[in-house]
Amino acid sequence: MAGFRGIDKAFFPIKNVSSVIEIFKHQLEKVSEPDLALLSIIVGAVENSLTCSRPNAPLQLCEPMEPSSLPTLEIHTVESLYNKFHAIIKSAVDPVVKTSREKVYATREIVKKVSDVVWNTLSRSYYKDRAHLQSLYSYLTGNKLDCFGVAFAVVAGCQVLGYSDVHLALSEDHAWVVFGQYGTETAEVTWHGKGNEDKRGQEIGKGVSARSWLYVNNKPVICTRAMEVAALVSAINPSLNTAHDAYEVALLQQELLWLLYDLGHLAKYPMAIGNLGDLEEISATAGRIPCDVLFKEAIASARQNYTNMHVYPYTYQGGYFYRNKMYEEAFESWANASDVIRKYNYSRDDEEIYKEFLEIANELIPHIMKVESSGFSANSILKKPQCFAHLLRFYDGICQWEEGSATPVLHIGWAKPLVNTISKFDADVRAKVNIICETAEDRIEQQHNFNNHSNGSTNCLNNNNYCVPKKQDLSPPGTDLINAIESKVNSAEE
Ligand SMILES: CC1(C)CN=C(N2CCN(c3ncnc4sc(CC(F)F)cc34)CC2)S1
């Protein structure tokens, strides 16, 4: 990997967002492949200077001194960190010999060695989930990285060594690398979750973990160099504290995401499109497509490229509808999210998505029911069979998620809000929902599709029809829940 090129020096000192955009544009359009270490150090330095309050510097309040100004970033700061990263990586692994005619591919040993050098230079103990630990700036100035940051650092390190075959693989809650002549070798390079032994060096789950959401049914986002730039931009964290974002950092992230979007590098990256949608909802960019279209594009990308095995595109959209009081649409998005999770088995590595569904079922939906049942508007969602159908599909997907899983999902804490919600719909509204039972054969076919990674979406919901597997198909926990609903609802009617 060429050292710090003169050409990059022309962009310094960095004083505003647009000069950062210029550097990224140059890296993405003018050089053979974007320099991950350089770009990560730059955005990390900018983020750190505006979000990690320093005692002797006045906290930058929300309004910038002038449009999108930034604290000056000098070239020597960036260059010394850049050279430090090269030195750390090259001290541990010999770079690819330049003169070699044939292409040299990474081996598992090399990937593991790069992961080891990053791993062994991290601070002994620090709060791993803290914000602003994702960039090489954090690694090089504080020896701290979060789990995504370690994976990114390994890919950036392999780029330094000249292994252009090593790429970042991303699920919705984990990151690892692919490498080799066909890009089919996989390796864990970082940890996941709390208290789990890391599996660094091993190839990606062949066993039971392969069926968990964590590995998205072997449909991860496999990054190109430019998509690795999109990942580092997505990982920019503008939060100053729980209540405020640093305005300039959010603006920088939004403009960089539009640059990557225009160059086509977000097309196969649903979460990055969703991140851009969230930023556009907060502050729409004039002349750009609206955020609701971005959320639809993220869903289309996940359906098109990842056989609809990703949940987050639907929860990005559902969150948008919820915040904008479009409750029927929110129910539909959440039911669609549930249609994804039902295809998986729940494993203990899936806590993040469990918390997501728990919040929707036990916080967001009950809040909607509360505000809707206070009013008596004729077009209240409580009068709409379609809403009832969406909710049944939502809950049923969680029940099916649990079926066949080693770890239970549902407990009594789920049943109370669930029964409360269902019983808010009058019998005449519920009666309008046609329950179409899938046959056991349908379920077997679905299972077959899952195993063969094909798009097994047999969900037959269209108007008020709602498909539910015949009751005897439900494993005990789900049946208990459905029984609990029925007994509660019946008693509510008496
Ligand atoms: C609908 C939501 C709750 C809103 N934000 C969500 N995010 C999901 C995770 N986010 C991400 N955004 C871009 N790329 C990645 S890669 C990854 C896994 C990690 F281990 F590498 C996570 C993630 C960004 C924020 S899902």
Side-chain angles (χ1 to χ4, degrees):
M1 196 57 212
F4 207 83
R5 267 189 304 273
I7 188 75
D8 300 318
K9 302 187 177 180
F11 294 105
F12 285 86
I14 292 171
K15 292 182 186 287
N16 52 47
V17 167
S18 44
S19 41
V20 180
I21 304 293
E22 285 314 303
I23 292 176
F24 272 75
K25 204 179 272 187
H26 174 253
Q27 284 288 318
L28 288 162
E29 296 183 313
K30 298 280 187 297
V31 303
S32 57
E33 61 172 49
D35 188 329
L36 299 179
L38 174 69
L39 299 178
S40 181
I41 289 167
I42 290 172
V43 292
V46 169
E47 176 177 325
N48 178 278
S49 68
L50 283 164
T51 59
C52 306
S53 51
R54 291 161 298 156
N56 54 356
L59 203 60
Q60 303 274 353
L61 297 180
C62 300
E63 292 312 311
M65 290 85 83
E66 54 168 73
S68 70
S69 65
L70 294 172
T72 304
L73 182 56
E74 298 292 350
I75 186 156
H76 66 79
T77 309
V78 174
E79 190 166 19
S80 60
L81 293 173
Y82 183 86
N83 294 334
K84 178 178 178 182
F85 185 64
H86 274 242
I88 292 169
I89 297 295
K90 288 171 180 168
S91 69
V93 187
D94 297 334
V96 167
V97 176
K98 283 269 174 303
T99 53
S100 57
R101 301 287 309 145
E102 76 289 350
K103 194 157 166 20
V104 179
Y105 299 106
T107 63
R108 186 169 302 277
E109 292 64 37
I110 284 167
V111 168
K112 181 59 167 55
K113 242 184 190 183
V114 176
S115 175
D116 284 345
V117 72
V118 173
W119 191 265
N120 296 325
T121 44
L122 294 177
S123 294
R124 276 291 127 246
S125 73
Y126 57 95
Y127 178 46
K128 306 290 187 294
D129 289 344
R130 222 185 66 196
H132 318 301
L133 300 185
Q134 77 288 54
S135 75
L136 289 188
Y137 182 87
S138 168
Y139 170 62
L140 293 163
T141 60
N143 296 91
K144 294 184 195 66
L145 283 171
D146 58 24
C147 80
F148 163 82
V150 168
F152 180 84
V154 171
V155 175
C158 291
Q159 183 184 37
V160 163
L161 297 170
Y163 292 106
S164 56
D165 58 310
V166 180
H167 284 291
L168 194 57
L170 301 170
S171 76
E172 298 192 299
D173 188 41
H174 192 29
W176 58 92
V177 303
V178 296
F179 61 97
Q181 184 167 8
Y182 308 106
T184 49
E185 295 300 313
T186 63
E188 297 274 7
V189 291
T190 184
W191 79 86
H192 177 263
K194 286 188 169 29
N196 306 324
E197 258 313 285
D198 71 86
K199 301 188 267 190
R200 288 182 315 113
Q202 298 173 31
E203 60 179 340
I204 294 313
K206 291 268 181 238
V208 69
S209 65
R211 299 187 52 72
S212 66
W213 164 77
L214 187 68
Y215 290 96
V216 283
N217 187 28
N218 206 16
K219 294 284 175 187
V221 174
I222 304 293
C223 291
T224 61
R225 281 284 177 260
M227 287 169 75
E228 280 141 12
V229 175
L232 81 88
V233 170
S234 281
I236 290 173
N237 184 340
S239 47
L240 253 179
N241 52 49
T242 44
H244 296 98
D245 280 359
Y247 169 82
E248 302 87 340
V249 180
L251 182 72
L252 173 64
Q253 182 177 38
Q254 196 164 352
E255 298 207 0
L256 286 173
L257 284 171
W258 276 124
L259 168 65
L260 288 153
Y261 178 92
D262 291 338
L263 294 172
H265 300 311
L266 303 193
K268 295 182 177 175
Y269 197 165
M271 289 186 287
I273 302 172
N275 288 333
L276 181 53
D278 278 352
L279 291 163
E280 284 293 307
E281 181 190 351
I282 294 166
S283 158
T285 307
R288 286 291 187 178
I289 53 173
C291 61
D292 63 302
V293 173
L294 287 168
F295 294 125
K296 286 194 180 101
E297 287 186 3
I299 288 166
S301 171
R303 298 180 70 88
Q304 168 81 29
N305 300 299
Y306 306 105
T307 66
N308 200 31
M309 293 304 285
H310 293 191
V311 175
Y312 282 152
Y314 296 107
T315 51
Y316 271 112
Q317 187 188 52
Y320 164 75
F321 285 139
Y322 173 78
R323 291 187 293 269
N324 291 275
K325 303 188 185 336
M326 300 162 76
Y327 295 139
E328 179 172 354
E329 293 82 350
F331 287 161
E332 183 171 13
S333 301
W334 292 333
N336 290 337
S338 189
D339 274 350
V340 174
I341 204 68
R342 71 169 69 234
K343 298 182 257 184
Y344 288 103
N345 283 342
Y346 180 58
S347 101
R348 59 191 193 77
D349 294 322
D350 295 342
E351 282 92 358
E352 280 311 306
I353 205 65
Y354 173 87
K355 288 188 289 190
E356 193 68 24
F357 279 106
L358 195 67
E359 185 194 16
I360 294 167
N362 295 358
E363 312 288 331
L364 306 187
I365 290 173
H367 169 75
I368 293 172
M369 302 320 279
K370 189 156 63 61
V371 299
E372 281 293 302
S373 49
S374 53
F376 293 93
S377 56
N379 66 347
S380 153
I381 55 162
L382 301 179
K383 300 265 178 289
K384 297 186 176 178
Q386 179 71 308
C387 289
F388 187 62
H390 292 322
L391 286 171
L392 283 182
R393 186 157 61 96
F394 171 74
Y395 292 127
D396 183 67
I398 297 170
C399 292
Q400 195 175 340
W401 181 27
E402 176 172 64
E403 285 174 42
S405 302
T407 324
V409 175
L410 300 163
H411 52 69
I412 195 65
W414 288 76
K416 196 163 158 293
L418 189 162
V419 171
N420 221 307
T421 299
I422 300 271
S423 54
K424 287 271 188 331
F425 290 84
D426 293 342
D428 63 306
V429 178
R430 298 200 318 267
K432 290 187 187 121
V433 174
N434 319 316
I435 306 273
I436 299 169
C437 294
E438 284 178 335
T439 62
E441 290 71 27
D442 292 333
R443 301 285 304 283
I444 290 163
E445 187 212 342
Q446 265 181 46
Q447 210 64 37
H448 171 76
N449 292 337
F450 181 95
N451 299 334
N452 295 6
H453 306 313
S454 69
N455 181 359
S457 69
T458 58
N459 123 45
C460 53
L461 182 93
N462 29 50
N463 40 42
N464 293 347
N465 292 338
Y466 163 67
C467 319
V468 64
K470 282 197 301 300
K471 204 145 90 176
Q472 65 270 17
D473 286 356
L474 288 181
S475 63
T479 311
D480 290 351
L481 190 66
I482 297 282
N483 288 337
I485 296 172
E486 282 189 352
S487 62
K488 255 299 185 194
V489 170
N490 295 337
S491 56
E493 277 162 3
E494 278 143 27

